[in-house]
Amino acid sequence: MLALQALRQQARRVVEVTILEPRPVLGVGVAYSTSSPVHLLNTRACNMSVTDDPDDFVRWLRAERPRRILNWTRDDFAPRAYFGEYLQARLREACAASHLNVHWLRDPVDAVKRTGDSWEIIPAHGDALPADAVILATGNERPRPLARDLQPAAQSLVIEDPWDAEQKAAIPADAPVLLVGTSLTAVDIALELLHRGHKGPITAISRHGLLPRSHGPLAPAREGLLNALPSSVRALVRHVREVTANDPGGEKWRRVFTDLRGITPSLWRGLSVTERRRFLRHLRVIWDVHRHRLPPLVHSRLQRAITARRLTIVRGRIVAIEPADSQSLRVVSESRGASRVFHVARVVNCTGPELNPANSSNPLLQGLVLDGVARLDALGMGLAVDAESRVIGANGSAHATLFALGALTRGTRWEISAIPELRDQANAVARQLLQTFERRRARVRAAESRTDGSLRMSA
Ligand SMILES: Cc1cc2nc3c(=O)[nH]c(=O)nc-3n(C[C@H](O)[C@H](O)[C@H](O)COP(=O)(O)OP(=O)(O)OC[C@H]3O[C@@H](n4cnc5c(N)ncnc54)[C@H](O)[C@@H]3O)c2cc1C
């Protein structure tokens, strides 16, 4: 998005962009590489454009993936795979623009090193690449493993990466399956299994047992909420409770969360680290289920599966996963002092991404923190960045030409996963980057004219 949306619009000179991405398809990441028709965007089409035109995605849908009856509208929730195709189409157009040279190396990056004023990128294979600026956009890390100490045979029954298509395809259709997590990933996996005819019982378990809520009708944004918002979490909760009193249809709380969307970064910045911790400890789950809502169609499919007892939602914390026999696992959970035992053929880790880059399995992120090029943010949820998304090193100062985008900046911005927020951040980083390049060019020009002068003088 940085390459195509922001640089394309703002660059005045040719910019050479190299994208290092090991996936077979560029631009789709985990979210948009799914081909399952039940995996829908959880954001309305009018919020998914990668250009500044809010109707760009809807127009693309209508032209390229038209529906015969009731063609796409701004309020629709399209399949995620379509968004991946749209993104690639726009990237192809951007690559055709004369002032943007995009190269794609299908290789992971092992390390990024500082060399004087610039950077050296060390890919897993091949030669190091020089770069004037580096943008880290590594997205979500894999979940923290659920079971590390099992023998390989039992380990193969635990699917640690919920997006591993091969492992999911190998789940027998009549097998009892336990999904650990009840949030968006668990919803995706449950519906994917049911769609392809899974007959065995599916259970989803989490500490709170809460499912994401459904989107309602499109609610208009409301003025004035920001002025009323206080800077402590306790007062914030009181305020939201007051605003959403007498709300049987759920229209008010949905409107509050729509309004909060635009002001979340400033609200988050206004909270002290202690307050942010308090929010994460007490309110995160509640926030997530209201803020990250399901398309109504997905929500009703989910409710139907629960009513038909094809999916069961359970509250509890996993305390043990052990082999039962060669084909199944015994999983023990605990909730309020009571234990429960599940015998299942597969466990799928739907606990969400590992937030701490230093604990991730990504050598690039581990190395950046270890070398002191980057440091963790105060909450250990990402890399420390300044207000311009520049990465802050262990010495406390921000690098002028090393940026982080998206999930890596979660600790500083809190809500930075969905396309509208990513688009804003990419735009701002592109502006910042191009200004930095302009300043550097001006310095070089000034230095050259000084050198020319002295040469002329000596001549
Ligand atoms: C399942 C899911 C569904 C989502 N649905 C929506 C939605 O409906 N609407 C919405 O607005 N948002 C949605 N999001 C959030 C958001 O839009 C996506 O996460 C978005 O794809 C983030 O883009 P990204 O480029 O930051 O990260 P990603 O798309 O995750 O891409 C990061 C890429 O970095 C690569 N990478 C990582 N480490 C390295 C390395 N060392 N070297 C080279 N490459 C590396 C990875 O291979 C990966 O492809 C969803 C997210 C998920 C996970």
Side-chain angles (χ1 to χ4, degrees):
M1 197 134 69
L2 177 77
L4 71 87
Q5 198 254 352
L7 284 181
R8 186 170 66 132
Q9 288 177 16
Q10 296 168 11
R12 267 177 265 133
R13 290 187 174 76
V14 172
V15 180
E16 301 282 337
V17 181
T18 305
I19 305 180
L20 286 108
E21 164 63 74
R23 283 178 178 276
V25 182
L26 187 59
V28 291
V30 159
Y32 311 115
S33 52
T34 174
S35 56
S36 174
V38 293
H39 289 165
L40 303 185
L41 294 170
N42 54 22
T43 312
R44 288 185 163 86
C46 59
N47 282 325
M48 290 299 288
S49 291
V50 293
T51 70
D52 291 336
D53 174 1
D55 289 332
D56 190 54
F57 180 48
V58 185
R59 267 202 305 275
W60 182 90
L61 280 172
R62 286 169 158 262
E64 303 297 330
R65 296 288 172 272
R67 288 194 301 200
R68 280 197 189 175
I69 305 165
L70 295 178
N71 208 350
W72 298 102
T73 71
R74 309 178 85 231
D75 285 1
D76 284 330
F77 298 89
R80 293 215 295 268
Y82 287 1
F83 182 75
E85 293 170 25
Y86 158 72
L87 206 51
Q88 288 169 64
R90 290 292 175 260
L91 184 59
R92 274 194 298 276
E93 288 162 20
C95 291
S98 57
H99 53 281
L100 189 70
N101 287 342
V102 180
H103 317 273
W104 170 25
L105 291 184
R106 209 186 140 192
D107 211 0
V109 176
D110 276 353
V112 168
K113 307 272 181 203
R114 191 93 173 114
T115 54
D117 235 10
S118 49
W119 299 93
E120 194 175 51
I121 315 300
I122 321 279
H125 313 96
D127 297 335
L129 308 167
D132 292 321
V134 179
I135 295 101
L136 304 167
T138 52
N140 284 323
E141 291 300 306
R142 285 171 169 212
R144 189 173 295 183
L146 284 171
R148 291 177 205 258
D149 306 325
L150 291 174
Q151 295 297 316
Q155 184 69 62
S156 68
L157 305 178
V158 181
I159 302 180
E160 296 285 9
D161 178 1
W163 309 111
D164 186 323
E166 230 170 87
Q167 281 194 292
K168 281 185 290 185
I171 301 177
D174 55 352
V177 174
L178 181 69
L179 310 179
V180 181
T182 58
S183 200
L184 295 173
T185 305
V187 173
D188 265 3
I189 306 302
L191 293 185
E192 182 185 344
L193 290 176
L194 292 170
H195 178 71
R196 64 161 209 239
H198 189 85
K199 298 277 181 282
I202 304 173
T203 307
I205 183 168
S206 70
R207 285 187 185 157
H208 45 83
L210 292 176
L211 287 169
R213 304 291 196 262
S214 173
H215 277 286
L218 196 59
R222 225 176 51 121
E223 294 287 322
L225 194 64
L226 177 60
N227 299 339
L229 279 179
S231 62
S232 86
V233 169
R234 189 185 293 267
L236 169 65
V237 172
R238 202 179 320 122
H239 177 78
V240 172
R241 283 215 173 109
E242 276 166 20
V243 177
T244 58
N246 298 324
D247 190 21
E251 194 210 301
K252 288 187 190 168
W253 72 255
R254 287 192 179 89
R255 203 171 57 200
V256 165
F257 274 84
T258 305
D259 292 354
L260 279 171
R261 183 165 199 165
I263 59 167
T264 302
S266 45
L267 187 61
W268 189 250
R269 270 198 301 276
L271 296 179
S272 66
V273 172
T274 312
E275 283 292 300
R276 290 181 193 178
R277 281 213 180 91
R278 191 168 290 157
F279 172 88
L280 294 172
R281 202 166 42 244
H282 300 297
L283 288 178
R284 183 179 178 172
V285 172
I286 301 287
W287 172 276
D288 280 349
V289 297
H290 289 85
R291 166 68 181 76
H292 299 282
R293 303 195 282 278
L294 297 173
L297 180 64
V298 172
H299 190 260
S300 61
R301 279 182 183 145
L302 192 69
Q303 292 307 321
R304 275 205 305 276
I306 293 170
T307 310
R309 295 174 190 257
R310 299 184 69 193
L311 171 66
T312 310
I313 307 298
V314 173
R315 194 173 154 148
R317 184 172 62 90
I318 302 292
V319 289
I321 300 179
E322 52 207 24
D325 55 48
S326 63
Q327 300 297 318
S328 64
L329 296 165
R330 182 176 174 275
V331 182
V332 185
S333 77
E334 216 173 66
S335 176
R336 296 177 178 167
S339 301
R340 195 166 166 172
V341 177
F342 303 89
H343 282 98
V344 291
R346 291 291 189 285
V347 170
V348 187
N349 187 344
C350 303
T351 54
E354 165 65 66
L355 300 183
N356 186 328
N359 293 341
S360 79
S361 54
N362 197 330
L364 167 63
L365 301 182
Q366 286 176 358
L368 285 169
V369 176
L370 212 63
D371 295 348
V373 175
R375 66 171 161 84
L376 301 180
D377 64 68
L379 301 162
M381 292 170 72
L383 298 182
V385 292
D386 68 5
E388 269 80 41
S389 305
R390 290 181 299 210
V391 172
I392 298 175
N395 63 3
S397 58
H399 301 279
T401 50
L402 177 65
F403 295 85
L405 279 184
L408 283 175
T409 63
R410 194 187 272 116
T412 313
R413 302 175 76 104
W414 177 232
E415 278 296 344
I416 189 64
S417 63
I419 293 298
E421 284 78 15
L422 291 174
R423 190 177 48 222
D424 289 350
Q425 193 185 25
N427 237 328
V429 166
R431 244 191 329 270
Q432 187 67 30
L433 197 58
L434 295 171
Q435 279 168 9
T436 308
F437 283 165
E438 286 301 322
R439 277 199 297 271
R440 188 180 279 185
R441 275 198 197 99
R443 270 204 312 274
V444 170
R445 271 200 305 273
E448 277 170 2
S449 68
R450 274 200 302 276
T451 316
D452 284 354
S454 62
L455 277 175
R456 270 197 298 274
M457 278 190 310
S458 55

